[in-house]
Amino acid sequence: MNPNYTEHDDLSDLEPIDGVTSPGALPVEEPANDNNPIPRQMSKLFTSAMEIEVEEAKEAGALGFMARAMVQASMPHRRVPGNEFSRTNGAFTMTMLAPSKVGLPYGSIPRLVTGFLTTEAVRTGEREVVLGRSLSKFMSELDIAPTGGRWGSIPRLRDQMTRLFACSISCTYTSKGAVSLENVNIADTASLWWTPHQPDQAALWESTVVLSERFYNEITQNPVPIDVRALKALKRSPMALDV
């Protein structure tokens, strides 16, 4: 197994983290020193935060949307055993069920993909979301650099998208003995025509995802506004994205 691989798929293994020399190793505590340079990752977060404060997302053309259910109760942060997962927030419970041979989606990638799909559905008013002819172009929309190999971002993206589109979601509201249940599939169909080993090559057909009618209605009628710049700045941590 590659020593740089981590199960939680928070994209941290796609780019080294400053100050951490090996996976699982804790950074050595050192006295505070204002003369020390700011770590690259922290500098990027500070810059992104300043940009967000300076200009409203809408004015910057960075207004996106997220599905309400994914905000009320989030997906797994890391790989979980089995093919069923539940998270409860007050009276709301979201349960995800996946085919056992496919597995549940987890980590940052499904969150980024869901944000992209929701934003495009709200923007276009269409159930069919066009992902484009080029894999690298689509990955640039998610701010993920395309890399191959067993532990690269390309196979990971395909794996997590397969998990996301294959699972079904059950949303349950319970209040004073009353129960409301809604079952949702994210997509009716997904056609991904990209060539993984040639991410820059344009396919003959555009890759598309047709959202299920129930999911489409939910995200277009009750979208939660987000700042796409924040989404990209925090993409290394699924928990940070949820918060």
Side-chain angles (χ1 to χ4, degrees):
M1 178 177 289
N2 187 325
N4 294 323
Y5 175 70
T6 54
E7 287 288 346
H8 52 317
D9 190 32
D10 61 358
L11 300 180
S12 61
D13 56 328
L14 302 185
E15 185 177 351
I17 302 176
D18 295 316
V20 179
T21 57
S22 63
L26 295 177
V28 178
E29 292 187 2
E30 297 180 355
N33 184 344
D34 290 340
N35 294 323
N36 285 341
I38 298 175
R40 175 168 49 86
Q41 185 62 24
M42 291 299 296
S43 178
K44 289 170 62 177
L45 288 175
F46 290 155
T47 301
S48 298
M50 291 175 62
E51 291 175 350
I52 291 170
E53 296 218 358
V54 168
E55 189 175 22
E56 291 293 334
K58 188 174 182 179
E59 295 176 356
L63 180 63
F65 297 93
M66 183 62 77
R68 181 177 59 170
M70 301 299 184
V71 175
Q72 291 177 296
S74 61
M75 292 180 279
H77 294 144
R78 61 186 65 204
R79 185 192 295 269
V80 295
N83 64 330
E84 183 176 341
F85 173 83
S86 292
R87 195 185 296 279
T88 299
N89 180 5
F92 176 75
T93 297
M94 182 183 73
T95 301
M96 305 183 74
L97 184 65
S100 58
K101 291 186 177 181
V102 177
L104 292 159
Y106 61 90
S108 296
I109 290 178
R111 289 162 167 80
L112 296 173
V113 172
T114 302
F116 176 85
L117 295 175
T118 303
T119 300
E120 286 299 294
V122 173
R123 183 182 69 83
T124 64
E126 300 289 341
R127 283 177 54 197
E128 183 179 48
V129 178
V130 177
L131 308 182
R133 298 179 185 272
S134 165
L135 174 58
S136 60
K137 186 176 186 302
F138 173 67
M139 295 185 72
S140 70
E141 295 287 343
L142 305 181
D143 199 31
I144 300 176
T147 58
R150 185 177 180 185
W151 309 115
S153 60
I154 293 175
R156 180 170 303 180
L157 174 67
R158 292 176 66 89
D159 175 59
Q160 290 297 330
M161 289 180 72
T162 300
R163 291 169 180 261
L164 181 66
F165 299 146
C167 77
S168 59
I169 301 173
S170 174
C171 301
T172 306
Y173 296 88
T174 305
S175 178
K176 298 179 180 179
V179 177
S180 174
L181 176 66
E182 184 175 11
N183 295 318
V184 180
N185 289 327
I186 292 179
D188 282 344
T189 62
S191 301
L192 308 179
W193 303 110
W194 302 310
T195 304
H197 60 278
Q198 294 178 313
D200 295 323
Q201 181 174 322
L204 295 177
W205 300 279
E206 288 189 310
S207 294
T208 60
V209 174
V210 178
L211 304 176
S212 72
E213 185 174 1
R214 190 179 294 272
F215 183 73
Y216 170 79
N217 290 337
E218 165 65 20
I219 63 178
T220 54
Q221 293 172 11
N222 304 291
V224 177
I226 58 173
D227 192 311
V228 174
R229 293 170 297 177
L231 202 68
K232 293 179 178 180
L234 299 173
K235 68 179 185 295
R236 289 164 60 90
S237 170
M239 183 174 291
L241 288 174
D242 292 343
V243 173

